[in-house]
Amino acid sequence: MTDFIIGLFLKDGDDVESKAVRNKCGGACGAVGIICNLLLCSVKLVTGILSSSISIIADGLNNLSDMGSSVITMIGFKMAGKPADSDHPFGHGRMEYMSAFVVAMAIILVGFELLISSAKSLINGDAAPTYPISAIIVLLCSALLKAWMFVFNRKLSKKIGSEAIAATAQDSINDSVATGAILLSVLITKFFDIGFNLDAVMAAGVAVFIIYSGFSTAKQTLDSILGTPPDRELIKGIEETVMSFEDFIGVHDLIVHNYGPGRQFASIHVEVPQDIDIVKCHEHIDLCEKLVGEKFNISLVIHMDPIDSNNETVSAAKAAITEGIKLIDDNLSLHDFRMTPAGESRTNLIFDVVVPSSVKLSNSELNEKICKIARLINPTYCCVITFDNDFSGR
């Protein structure tokens, strides 16, 4: 059933990064959510009112909120698929993340509303409701349907790599668990005399669970909006592709910018021998940029850094300094190493040091330590260091 419905919108071989395919999948997610949640909301509200159950009514309102979230998801995908314009030259792909964030806010809002309602019921000492058999049947079918929606949305989100649909999937399984908990309280209340309003207690517990889930989903989507490190496999793949060109002898300063699914841009610095044929090097750079674009669907820009790769004195000095900074922190690395002609009292070593976020020393402290190590290697060495941040998340 799940695969059949997904197959109606997503065929084998479809480009999951294309706007048209993603719009179709977003429409599928939204349509399924609207139909299922409208049905569940209607049935639960009627059942909850007839049985005077605050937890079933709240669960029905939760489904109404989910229906609104499905509409938001559809709108988000539609807006994310809009082409770039003068105001948004990188497209509207991040609207997909924004719609996921709105869904998370809706989850949190429903959780707080449910918590307030259950707290009022407990404070007022409301009696436990009387449940008909129909209430048990409705809750059981609801939990099963929401579990299926979780499977459907999770499969769809994995196929196209959508955080918005993944957030909807998480909401579905939360609803299934919440409804299951309410069903348990209904069964206990119906068949056992426990002396207190378990309906309100269970509603409060479900509310806390929903709120926690909403904050977790919100954090994940906010991370994507603010900017997260690129996938490690992606970094490795780009670097290996670039280094497959024989004229390139080193890479650094890889930065990946994400403007939504299928809208990634990257830049990287490539070290090449300083005596290389500049025309030949430029041809290889063009080929490399095209190859990375075809393999990873990323628009890459390469900056060329010429270095003296045949000078043994320079190579020896670079190796010694590299070994020295590893003693400070093994995560430090250097690049763009240059060396002025050796003088009697001063030899300038000019290079960049990449400082990952895991290194807690300040740039001034690092500079002092590295300069001290350089003077121990050779008293004439004077370091001119530029410190770079590591944007790869390593």
Side-chain angles (χ1 to χ4, degrees), residues 115-394:
L115 184 62
I116 292 172
S117 298
S118 57
K120 286 181 178 178
S121 181
L122 288 171
I123 292 172
N124 294 334
D126 295 343
T130 301
Y131 302 101
I133 295 297
S134 60
I136 298 175
I137 297 174
V138 167
L139 290 173
L140 177 61
C141 292
S142 174
L144 293 175
L145 181 57
K146 277 292 185 176
W148 174 81
M149 290 175 66
F150 163 71
V151 174
F152 171 79
N153 288 316
R154 185 178 65 169
K155 279 190 175 182
L156 193 58
S157 70
K158 287 184 176 180
K159 282 183 178 292
I160 68 171
S162 169
E163 290 192 17
I165 298 180
T168 303
Q170 183 62 47
D171 188 31
S172 296
I173 195 61
N174 291 346
D175 290 344
S176 182
V177 172
T179 302
I182 293 172
L183 174 59
L184 179 61
S185 73
V186 168
L187 292 172
I188 293 174
T189 301
K190 186 172 181 62
F191 296 107
F192 299 95
D193 183 12
I194 57 177
F196 65 94
N197 191 349
L198 181 60
D199 180 75
V201 174
M202 191 62 70
V206 170
V208 172
F209 176 75
I210 291 175
I211 293 170
Y212 173 79
S213 173
F215 275 110
S216 297
T217 302
K219 180 184 181 301
Q220 181 179 350
T221 54
L222 269 179
D223 285 344
S224 294
I225 295 171
L226 293 173
T228 55
D231 182 73
R232 294 292 178 90
E233 291 299 318
L234 177 62
I235 295 173
K236 181 180 178 181
I238 293 175
E239 291 180 345
E240 288 180 349
T241 301
V242 173
M243 290 302 296
S244 66
F245 288 76
E246 60 180 2
D247 290 334
F248 300 161
I249 58 179
V251 295
H252 55 268
D253 288 352
L254 172 61
I255 303 176
V256 179
H257 302 275
N258 183 3
Y259 293 92
R263 299 167 180 83
Q264 288 184 302
F265 301 83
S267 61
I268 192 171
H269 288 220
V270 174
E271 295 179 349
V272 299
Q274 65 180 18
D275 55 356
I276 192 174
D277 184 323
I278 193 70
V279 175
K280 178 184 176 183
C281 183
H282 185 266
E283 290 177 352
H284 285 181
I285 286 176
D286 283 345
L287 287 173
C288 184
E289 290 173 343
K290 183 178 180 182
L291 181 59
V292 169
E294 292 173 348
K295 291 177 66 174
F296 305 104
N297 195 30
I298 288 178
S299 179
L300 178 67
V301 175
I302 297 177
H303 173 79
M304 178 184 66
D305 287 329
I307 62 171
D308 190 352
S309 59
N310 299 317
N311 189 314
E312 294 183 1
T313 303
V314 174
S315 297
K318 179 181 179 181
I321 296 297
T322 300
E323 183 178 351
I325 67 171
K326 291 293 184 182
L327 297 176
I328 300 174
D329 193 297
D330 193 53
N331 294 313
L332 294 171
S333 62
L334 64 81
H335 57 83
D336 285 351
F337 190 90
R338 302 184 300 281
M339 181 177 179
T340 60
E344 291 184 3
S345 60
R346 183 183 182 91
T347 302
N348 286 336
L349 306 181
I350 307 166
F351 55 92
D352 295 1
V353 172
V354 179
V355 185
S357 58
S358 60
V359 177
K360 303 306 179 184
L361 295 173
S362 67
N363 289 350
S364 60
E365 290 172 327
L366 286 172
N367 188 83
E368 182 179 348
K369 287 179 176 292
I370 295 172
C371 289
K372 183 178 180 179
I373 289 172
R375 287 192 296 270
L376 291 175
I377 297 171
N378 188 321
T380 68
Y381 284 171
C382 293
C383 297
V384 181
I385 308 171
T386 299
F387 292 98
D388 297 334
N389 293 325
D390 185 355
F391 295 100
S392 67
R394 287 178 291 195

Side-chain angles (χ1 to χ4, degrees), residues 44-59:
K44 286 180 184 177
L45 286 179
V46 172
T47 303
I49 292 171
L50 292 177
S51 62
S52 300
S53 170
I54 185 175
S55 62
I56 296 180
I57 293 174
D59 206 26

Side-chain angles (χ1 to χ4, degrees), residues 28-38 63 66-67 70 149 153:
C29 172
V32 169
I34 291 171
I35 294 171
C36 292
N37 285 307
L38 180 59
N63 294 139
D66 292 340
M67 187 181 71
S70 296
M149 290 175 66
N153 288 316

Side-chain angles (χ1 to χ4, degrees), residues 34-108:
I34 291 171
I35 294 171
C36 292
N37 285 307
L38 180 59
L39 174 63
L40 292 175
C41 172
S42 303
V43 175
K44 286 180 184 177
L45 286 179
V46 172
T47 303
I49 292 171
L50 292 177
S51 62
S52 300
S53 170
I54 185 175
S55 62
I56 296 180
I57 293 174
D59 206 26
L61 293 176
N62 184 24
N63 294 139
L64 181 63
S65 171
D66 292 340
M67 187 181 71
S69 298
S70 296
V71 174
I72 292 170
T73 299
M74 292 181 70
I75 295 173
F77 270 92
K78 189 68 176 177
M79 295 185 67
K82 290 175 59 179
D85 53 38
S86 58
D87 292 327
H88 307 91
F90 297 105
H92 301 75
R94 284 180 176 169
M95 281 303 302
E96 193 171 321
Y97 302 148
M98 292 298 297
S99 66
F101 182 72
V102 173
V103 170
M105 291 297 100
I107 295 172
I108 294 172

